[in-house]
Every structure is written in structure tokens, then in C-alpha cells.
Amino acid sequence: MDNFVLHTPTKVLFGEGQIAHLNSVIPKQARVLILYGGGSIKRNGVMDQVQNALKGYTLFEFGGIEPNPTYETLMKAVELVRQEKIDFLLAVGGGSVLDGTKFIAAAALYTQEPWHIIETTGGDITQAIPLGSVLTLPATGSEMNAGGVISRKSTGDKQHFFSPSVIPQFAILDPVTTYTLPQRQIANGVVDAFIHTMEQYLTYPVDAKVQDRFAEGLLLTLIEEGPRALAEPENYAIRANIMWSATMALNGLIGAGVPQDWATHMLGHEITAMHGLDHAQTLAIVLPSVMNAKREQKRAKLLQYAERIWNLREGSEDSRIDAAIAATRHFFEQMGMPTHLSDYGLDGSSIPALIEKLKQHGMTALGEHGDITLQDSQRILEAAR
Ligand code: NZQ
Ligand code: ZN
């Protein structure tokens, strides 16, 4: 196991009814900006619950943060924050609202032009407005981590940043808020959480038994509960298991002290930026192709994955690996998520342009060994057609 530092200061309030306790985690005198997306929280009663819980607070609202939040929209919120001297940000929504809120939190106090945050992957952030969240879509883990992914419409970029300053102070996780998710978003959440786990698990062994077995527990839970959530949208126990899995998949725990891949995510972000596919859809396309292309480097973990997750113990190593990749693909498809570019109307003609964007973003040595070159990425995308 590698050395690590793990600091996860986010207070988690988990379960039905926890929104009512918002006043225990936001200072009474705060000037609070509630940030949200396209309005699902107004239709499903989550906004009402938030406002009831915050009676007596000085509240402001900023809506319209879109999926794959854009710099253009977020800068309008930065203006509002500065103008109204907001000193607490409350994100109510999915990963996009959360990521957008993190960017706003840092940008509002940033002395340079805020896109610089993205150009430097957040490395120069020294302070941010405190933030917390009420999560309504279990997927990204953003509610308990230091990362955010921001898109810029004018240039077609989608890039991530990190800073300990933007780790949410609290996360309210009420599984009931997820009952109104459309099937496509249920699938997005399950597949994203699954692939977050894979990015930190499917690399090479470092004898990290706790991290491996935690990761395997998350994968098995998502495989078991994902399809059930599609069939029984209002089953609390299923929703609770998915919600906690998604948070645990990317809050630092399973990634501590182990190598990490993230090639699938870096390729996926370019596909979303260029073609507008949902984040998880891009991952479902790319991951099986990465697994196949890197089967030598990932062999030991692929075999462990095949055995412990899919019970594949018979036959040659390569046939077990093939079967594990096929089972993974089948799981995504069972969630209603196609796994080829062509399923989304893409014929592969944009692959050179995608590779050019990867190059622009410095993504020329990806994966846990840094051995995925631009040519390898091209082959991975070609194989995903
Ligand atoms: O905008 P509203 O009206 O709220 O509707 C949203 C949105 O249309 C809807 N939704 C959310 N909760 C709902 C609901 N609809 C009904 N009932 C509810 N309870 O779902 C749609 C998608 O929401 P979005 O926030 O975009 O989805 P998700 O949580 O999957 O976030 C995706 C974004 O997170 C980034 C992705 O790149 C993408 O931009 N990621 C962030 C990460 C991080 N910060 O650590 C890691 C991830 O790998 C990922 O890259
Ligand atoms: Zn993701």
C-alpha cells in the first residue's frame, strides 16, 4: 500500500427528513445563496423543504445551472455573490449544481480572471466561500470531495479542478429526494459511481486489501441495486444503498494509498464537451474499450475483478478477462445505457478532433502508468465505435 493523507471533513447527514436539520449546519447570521439547476427541486418539493428549514435566514437564489455547468452561467452567479456579499453557498441538486457551486465559491474570491482556476487545475486557489449541499442525484461524489468539472461553451472545453478549499462542509443525503429522478438519470448515477470505483480499483495490485474489498463491496452493491432502482423507483432501501455507494465511491476513501487510472474520465469529458452526451454515457462507451486495450497492464486486477465480482473462475486468463469485460458492458446496457459511439449517432469521424482537444488539455500520458499516449487514446476511441 502506498503512503497517503486522508482528510474528509464533510459532515454527512444521511436519511429521510435530514433536510429539516439544515439550520444546524449553516450559521444563523449567514447570507445564504441557494443554487440550483433547471427546476426539478421546485417540482419535487425539495426547495420547499429547504426554505422551511431555513426560515429566518437571509436567503438569495440562483437557478439555471445546467448539466455540465458552464463558466458563462457560473460567472453570473459570481457577480451576484460579490454584489450581495453572500457568505454561504448552498447547492441543492446533482453533481452539476455542486461543481458549479464549488467554482463560484472559489471564483468569487479569486484575484485573477477565474478561468485561470481551470487552467491551473485549481492549484492557485487559496480561499473559497464556505459551502454545503443537499444532494438530489447520487452519482459524482462531488458532495464529499474536492473536485469540480466545468465547461466553457465558447471554446468547447470541459476540464476539472481540485482544491481542499471547496470541499463541502456538509452533505445532506436524503434518499427520498431521488424518487423523482428520470430513469436516464438513475442509470447515469449508478454507472458513474461504478466507473469511479473502477478508476481507483482496476489498476495494478499494491496489496491494499481494505481499499480493494471496499471497492468490490461498492461494485457489488451497484450491480445488485442499480436495476432494482429502475424497477422500483420509490423503494427507500434501494435508493439509500445507491446513494451511499455513490458518495463512498469518490470521497477519497477507496482511492487512498492505491494507484488510480482516470483515463476513461479524461476521454469521456472530451466527448461530452464536443457532442453533449451525458457524463456517464461517455464513460460507458470508453471503459470497456480501456479495459480491453490495457489488459496486459491491468491483468492481475482484471482477473481479481472477474473472480470476485462476476464469479468467473474457469477457463484461460484471457477468456475470463473477455467475459468480465462483456459482463461489465452488459451491466451498463441492463441499466438502459448503450456502450458504443454509434448508439448515440456518432460515426467516429470526430475522433481526430477529440484527440486534438486531449492534446490541447495536456492529456498525453494517461492511466495509472502514464502510458496511454494520444495514439493509444485514438485506438481506444476507434474500438468504441
Ligand atoms: O437541473 P435540474 O432541473 O435539477 O435537473 C437535473 C438535471 O437535468 C436532474 N435531476 C437532478 N436531481 C433530480 C433531477 N431530476 C429529478 N429529480 C431529482 N431528484 O438530473 C439532470 C442531471 O443532473 P446533473 O447534476 O448534471 O447530473 P450528475 O449528478 O450526474 O452530474 C454530472 C456532472 O458532474 C461532473 C460531470 O462531469 C458532469 O458535469 N462530475 C463531477 C465529479 C466530481 N465533482 O467529483 C466527478 C464526476 O466524474 C463527474 O465528472
Ligand atoms: Zn464520473
Side-chain angles (χ1 to χ4, degrees):
M1 194 186 309
D2 301 336
N3 288 4
F4 63 85
V5 174
L6 180 64
H7 181 61
T8 50
T10 305
K11 182 172 189 171
V12 176
L13 286 76
F14 191 96
E16 182 166 11
Q18 292 285 20
I19 296 173
H21 300 121
L22 263 174
N23 62 3
S24 71
V25 280
I26 303 182
K28 294 282 178 301
Q29 72 293 349
R31 294 170 68 78
V32 182
L33 179 61
I34 301 173
L35 299 112
Y36 61 96
S40 70
I41 64 158
K42 296 206 161 165
R43 293 186 292 275
N44 63 12
V46 171
M47 183 61 136
D48 287 341
Q49 291 185 58
V50 167
Q51 282 171 335
N52 281 335
L54 293 178
K55 282 218 174 86
Y57 281 74
T58 308
L59 299 179
F60 300 82
E61 278 183 33
F62 184 88
I65 298 180
E66 58 280 81
N68 310 305
T70 66
Y71 171 77
E72 287 83 352
T73 299
L74 302 175
M75 286 308 291
K76 292 183 193 148
V78 167
E79 212 173 292
L80 178 67
V81 167
R82 288 175 174 162
Q83 197 183 315
E84 297 293 349
K85 304 196 167 22
I86 300 293
D87 54 20
F88 201 96
L89 302 180
L90 178 63
V92 186
S96 294
V97 173
L98 256 150
D99 286 6
T101 299
K102 289 173 171 179
F103 182 80
I104 294 160
L109 304 182
Y110 211 65
T111 48
Q112 305 189 53
E113 206 291 312
W115 188 252
H116 183 260
I117 291 173
I118 302 299
E119 287 168 344
T120 50
T121 328
D124 287 356
I125 296 173
T126 54
Q127 50 178 346
I129 295 173
L131 66 118
S133 81
V134 174
L135 185 72
T136 65
L137 198 179
T140 63
S142 185
E143 65 278 9
M144 204 174 165
N145 71 33
V149 189
I150 304 303
S151 299
R152 190 169 189 168
K153 262 195 264 180
S154 61
T155 53
D157 293 317
K158 177 172 180 177
Q159 291 174 265
H160 62 273
F161 73 101
F162 301 99
S163 170
S165 304
V166 301
I167 298 176
Q169 292 193 344
F170 63 83
I172 296 192
L173 308 178
D174 177 347
V176 177
T177 65
T178 70
Y179 288 0
T180 55
L181 283 170
Q183 299 263 309
R184 175 170 134 200
Q185 299 302 343
I186 297 174
N188 279 343
V190 168
V191 171
D192 193 23
F194 188 93
I195 296 180
H196 293 158
T197 309
M198 293 289 268
E199 298 269 31
Q200 301 161 88
Y201 169 77
L202 196 73
T203 57
Y204 55 88
V206 292
D207 200 18
K209 294 190 176 172
V210 174
Q211 293 88 327
D212 276 8
R213 290 185 166 124
F214 266 63
E216 286 155 1
L218 296 175
L219 296 174
L220 289 168
T221 303
L222 292 164
I223 291 166
E224 201 167 293
E225 302 290 63
R228 295 181 70 203
L230 294 176
E232 300 174 55
E234 304 208 353
N235 184 320
Y236 181 84
I238 295 171
R239 297 300 203 154
N241 281 313
I242 290 180
M243 200 165 207
W244 190 224
S245 298
T247 300
M248 292 293 283
L250 197 47
N251 68 356
L253 190 73
I254 64 167
V258 299
Q260 303 192 12
D261 180 342
W262 299 107
T264 297
H265 269 72
M266 295 308 109
L267 270 62
H269 288 169
E270 299 301 350
I271 300 175
T272 295
M274 194 169 293
H275 298 293
L277 270 60
D278 292 348
H279 171 63
Q281 294 173 334
T282 68
L283 306 179
I285 294 168
V286 178
L287 179 73
S289 191
V290 170
M291 290 167 83
N292 191 44
K294 304 310 287 179
R295 69 166 63 213
E296 292 316 325
Q297 295 81 349
K298 292 181 184 292
R299 180 164 292 262
K301 284 311 258 309
L302 273 165
L303 290 167
Q304 179 178 325
Y305 169 71
E307 178 176 333
R308 295 193 191 174
I309 303 301
W310 301 107
N311 245 320
L312 297 160
R313 297 159 200 274
E314 314 273 308
S316 69
E317 286 189 4
D318 276 304
S319 70
R320 278 178 273 155
I321 291 171
D322 287 340
I325 296 172
T328 308
R329 193 187 285 287
H330 178 257
F331 169 57
F332 300 155
E333 286 172 356
Q334 192 189 0
M335 290 304 298
M337 190 173 296
T339 60
H340 293 97
L341 285 169
S342 57
D343 298 319
Y344 300 87
L346 301 176
D347 62 5
S349 54
S350 67
I351 291 174
L354 290 166
I355 296 299
E356 189 49 42
K357 272 292 184 188
L358 274 179
K359 186 175 169 190
Q360 249 181 48
H361 295 149
M363 300 293 163
T364 55
L366 296 174
E368 66 273 17
H369 297 289
D371 63 351
I372 302 182
T373 62
L374 289 176
Q375 289 87 330
D376 295 319
S377 290
Q378 172 130 11
R379 276 194 285 273
I380 286 165
L381 291 175
E382 296 286 354
R385 286 159 87 138

